[in-house]
Amino acid sequence: MKVAWLVALVVVGASALAADAPPQTWRDVDANNLVLIDTHYGQVAVELAPEFAPHHAERLRALIRAHFYDGKSFYRVIDGFVAQGGIGEGDDKKLAKWPALKAEFDRPIGDDVAFTPLGSPDLYAPEVGHANGFPVGRDAKEGKVWIIHCPGTFAFARDNTADTAGTEFYIVIGEAPRRLDRNLTAFGRVISGMQYLQKLKRGDPDVNSGVIKPGPGRDPILRMRLAADLPAKLRPHFQVERTDSEAFAAAKQKRMNPGTSFLIRPPPPVLDVCVMPVSVRRVK
Amino acid sequence: MKVAWLVALVVVGASALAADAPPQTWRDVDANNLVLIDTHYGQVAVELAPEFAPHHAERLRALIRAHFYDGKSFYRVIDGFVAQGGIGEGDDKKLAKWPALKAEFDRPIGDDVAFTPLGSPDLYAPEVGHANGFPVGRDAKEGKVWIIHCPGTFAFARDNTADTAGTEFYIVIGEAPRRLDRNLTAFGRVISGMQYLQKLKRGDPDVNSGVIKPGPGRDPILRMRLAADLPAKLRPHFQVERTDSEAFAAAKQKRMNPGTSFLIRPPPPVLDVCVMPVSVRRVK
């Protein structure tokens, strides 16, 4: 009897391409787009995609530099859905400095966003794929592209109307809530540390929309920093797999047509865009 | 500024039907199908669906009654994928008593499985829906129905060939790995305590397929019991929403056509079967 059951499942994963597959290629994560969130459980790294929401990215950097989030909390954490952080309730005066932003739910298709189609249909969007490692939807007729809600997607929360996001953020921690696509401004994704977010204390979704009472039931945001602001010595350096590469194309094909002995019944040659891993490695 | 951002998202959830919606109806979870897994983080409750895999369900009950799992561990935990538990490596002699089972990957469509279609297309199966609260796929041409891999799905792991499952189990903790459908025997789902599984210590998926070295890096299975074997006083009593009810049909419609003011752009009228919540309540 083998030591590790289900081993072959992992071999189907992104990290183990066949020997004859093209090698993965990598791009560096820009320190200006790398957000580090310290929790009691470990550090979470988020890569921002400012090309999808320049004003939100700028706001987030400004908030981080003002140490706005330090000592705040993950005050609304719903298992299987989202972890939401920021100021939470009360203390509205602090928000006067940070007026609500105009929504950036999607953006025009353009040369600065290299869209690579997934090569598989999607339930929610005319077309899905990747742009620079980020999972995106695209509507060629409308001429729009947007970051979709997958596990790890980073977005700004808002009030009931469109242009009301200002400081609060959420990160998807459950099965992709795709109905939110183009309804909130998504402009980043977790590239490291999802397992620490999964440890966050949960709220009760049936009580006050999952908002946790202030106190020990909330996990704090110890601090939040932009990598660019750290001394070079302390700055982590991540690389993300290029999603416009031959290797990524091969990895998608392998997922859709695994042809392994483990999967006895070949799965349908389709792919949930949110299941397709985009590899990340920490170089330093 | 409102206290709870993103509040309306929750209102879209299953627990808050409009006042004029039909009331939810409930069925009791049979104590013979209720598995309780104690971890350091809390108790996880799994409901079994023996009609999908009678021999696996019988085996699991026998293993539990032999206290097979007590003191074993979650030895392969891959963030965003599965938490796998059981004996892990070594100690093969103990397995001689528990020979491998014949696979029960799917079963014939039959009167003992009340299939309710989701009413939305699916990427991986000709048809998906629910049977007694469990997310299922169905192929009317083949005359087969099966439990699909959603977050919380409980299944037996196996070796590389079909009929090799015996004692090891896994629970899906990430975006639905639907490619596994009908390739492993799935016969239950977590109805309570997913957040505790999310706290389990992770393995490194790039090292030994995510298997964690024996030692403190592994979280133990403190004990595993069948509710039916507990004294009546200590036996928890759960109820699961009836998925063949008018209320559930209305809740699905509401998800597909939320028509709330929060979702400014109406999402496409489709639904990921694994996103649709099936409510559970603990009565005692």
Side-chain angles (χ1 to χ4, degrees):
Chain A
M1 190 156 293
K2 292 236 180 106
V3 164
W5 301 56
L6 264 173
V7 162
L9 293 185
V10 177
V11 178
V12 179
S15 58
L17 292 169
D20 58 350
Q24 283 175 308
T25 53
W26 303 86
R27 69 168 172 80
D28 295 313
V29 172
D30 185 333
N32 278 300
N33 293 333
L34 182 56
V35 173
L36 305 167
I37 308 172
D38 289 334
T39 74
H40 277 309
Y41 310 109
Q43 188 175 76
V44 179
V46 174
E47 182 179 16
L48 302 181
E51 64 276 20
F52 281 89
H55 299 292
H56 281 71
E58 213 35 69
R59 167 64 59 87
L60 184 70
R61 291 190 193 105
L63 286 161
I64 290 171
R65 285 177 169 146
H67 296 190
F68 178 87
Y69 295 109
D70 299 3
K72 304 293 188 303
S73 70
F74 288 97
Y75 59 87
R76 178 170 177 253
V77 185
I78 299 181
D79 190 72
F81 185 35
V82 296
Q84 185 169 332
I87 197 167
E89 59 199 313
D91 222 354
D92 276 7
K93 280 170 210 159
K94 283 197 187 161
L95 298 177
K97 268 184 69 179
W98 309 101
L101 296 165
K102 202 165 154 37
E104 296 173 294
F105 295 158
D106 51 26
R107 52 150 285 159
I109 292 172
D111 290 341
D112 54 330
V113 170
F115 177 78
T116 307
L118 181 67
S120 178
D122 182 74
L123 288 181
Y124 288 85
E127 206 177 8
V128 287
H130 292 85
N132 232 7
F134 296 91
V136 299
R138 191 168 79 150
D139 189 327
K141 269 192 220 160
E142 292 186 26
K144 292 287 171 69
V145 62
W146 57 92
I147 292 185
I148 64 176
H149 283 79
C150 287
T153 291
F154 180 96
F156 257 23
R158 60 165 168 84
D159 212 327
N160 271 332
T161 51
D163 304 327
T164 52
T167 60
E168 310 301 280
F169 69 87
Y170 66 92
I171 298 172
V172 175
I173 59 167
E175 182 79 2
R178 297 285 307 280
R179 67 193 178 283
L180 306 185
D181 292 354
R182 303 179 87 183
N183 269 294
L184 292 119
T185 299
F187 62 110
R189 78 174 183 111
V190 174
I191 57 171
S192 170
M194 273 305 287
Q195 70 271 35
Y196 306 128
L197 293 172
Q198 292 292 7
K199 286 177 187 278
L200 294 174
K201 290 172 197 149
R202 301 323 200 230
D204 178 346
D206 293 331
V207 176
N208 196 16
S209 305
V211 173
I212 303 162
K213 270 189 298 197
R218 291 185 180 182
D219 275 311
I221 299 167
L222 297 176
R223 61 176 214 161
M224 208 156 145
R225 290 291 179 272
L226 201 64
D229 295 341
L230 297 179
K233 263 192 165 174
L234 301 175
R235 203 179 294 158
H237 179 192
F238 287 95
Q239 291 183 321
V240 172
E241 178 179 15
R242 286 192 66 124
T243 46
D244 57 356
S245 65
E246 275 182 55
F248 192 68
K252 286 184 288 187
Q253 279 308 314
K254 184 91 181 149
R255 278 252 158 181
M256 281 187 253
N257 303 285
T260 67
S261 59
F262 183 80
L263 294 181
I264 296 154
R265 172 188 299 271
V270 292
L271 186 53
D272 170 355
V273 62
C274 293
V275 158
M276 183 64 210
V278 176
S279 296
V280 175
R281 63 183 185 187
R282 184 165 173 173
V283 183
K284 192 198 96 183
Chain B
M1 188 156 296
K2 292 236 179 109
V3 164
W5 301 56
L6 265 171
V7 160
L9 293 185
V10 177
V11 178
V12 178
S15 57
L17 293 169
D20 58 351
Q24 282 176 308
T25 53
W26 303 86
R27 69 169 173 79
D28 295 314
V29 172
D30 185 334
N32 278 301
N33 293 333
L34 182 58
V35 173
L36 305 167
I37 308 173
D38 288 334
T39 75
H40 276 311
Y41 309 108
Q43 187 174 77
V44 179
V46 174
E47 182 179 17
L48 303 181
E51 63 277 19
F52 281 88
H55 299 292
H56 281 71
E58 212 36 69
R59 166 64 59 88
L60 183 71
R61 290 192 193 104
L63 286 161
I64 290 170
R65 284 176 169 147
H67 295 191
F68 178 87
Y69 295 109
D70 299 3
K72 302 295 188 303
S73 71
F74 288 96
Y75 59 87
R76 179 171 178 254
V77 185
I78 299 181
D79 189 71
F81 185 34
V82 296
Q84 185 170 331
I87 197 166
E89 60 200 312
D91 221 354
D92 276 7
K93 280 170 207 159
K94 282 198 186 160
L95 298 178
K97 269 183 67 180
W98 309 101
L101 295 166
K102 201 162 155 38
E104 296 174 294
F105 295 157
D106 53 25
R107 53 151 285 159
I109 292 171
D111 290 340
D112 55 330
V113 171
F115 177 78
T116 307
L118 180 68
S120 178
D122 183 73
L123 287 181
Y124 288 85
E127 206 178 7
V128 288
H130 293 86
N132 232 8
F134 296 91
V136 299
R138 192 168 81 149
D139 189 327
K141 270 192 219 158
E142 291 187 27
K144 291 287 170 65
V145 62
W146 59 90
I147 291 184
I148 64 177
H149 284 79
C150 287
T153 291
F154 180 97
F156 257 23
R158 61 166 167 83
D159 214 328
N160 271 332
T161 51
D163 304 326
T164 52
T167 60
E168 310 302 279
F169 70 88
Y170 65 93
I171 298 172
V172 175
I173 59 168
E175 182 80 3
R178 297 285 307 280
R179 67 193 178 282
L180 306 184
D181 291 354
R182 302 179 86 183
N183 269 293
L184 292 119
T185 299
F187 61 110
R189 78 173 184 112
V190 173
I191 57 171
S192 170
M194 273 304 288
Q195 70 272 35
Y196 306 129
L197 293 171
Q198 293 292 7
K199 285 177 187 278
L200 293 173
K201 290 172 197 150
R202 296 340 195 216
D204 179 346
D206 294 330
V207 175
N208 196 16
S209 303
V211 173
I212 303 161
K213 271 188 298 196
R218 290 185 180 182
D219 275 310
I221 298 167
L222 298 175
R223 61 177 215 163
M224 210 156 143
R225 292 290 179 273
L226 201 64
D229 295 342
L230 297 179
K233 264 193 164 174
L234 299 176
R235 203 179 294 158
H237 178 192
F238 287 95
Q239 291 183 322
V240 172
E241 178 179 16
R242 287 193 66 125
T243 46
D244 57 356
S245 64
E246 276 182 56
F248 192 68
K252 286 185 289 188
Q253 280 308 314
K254 185 89 180 149
R255 278 251 158 183
M256 282 188 252
N257 302 286
T260 67
S261 59
F262 184 80
L263 294 181
I264 296 154
R265 173 188 299 271
V270 293
L271 186 53
D272 170 354
V273 61
C274 294
V275 159
M276 183 64 212
V278 176
S279 296
V280 175
R281 63 184 185 187
R282 185 166 173 172
V283 182
K284 190 196 101 181

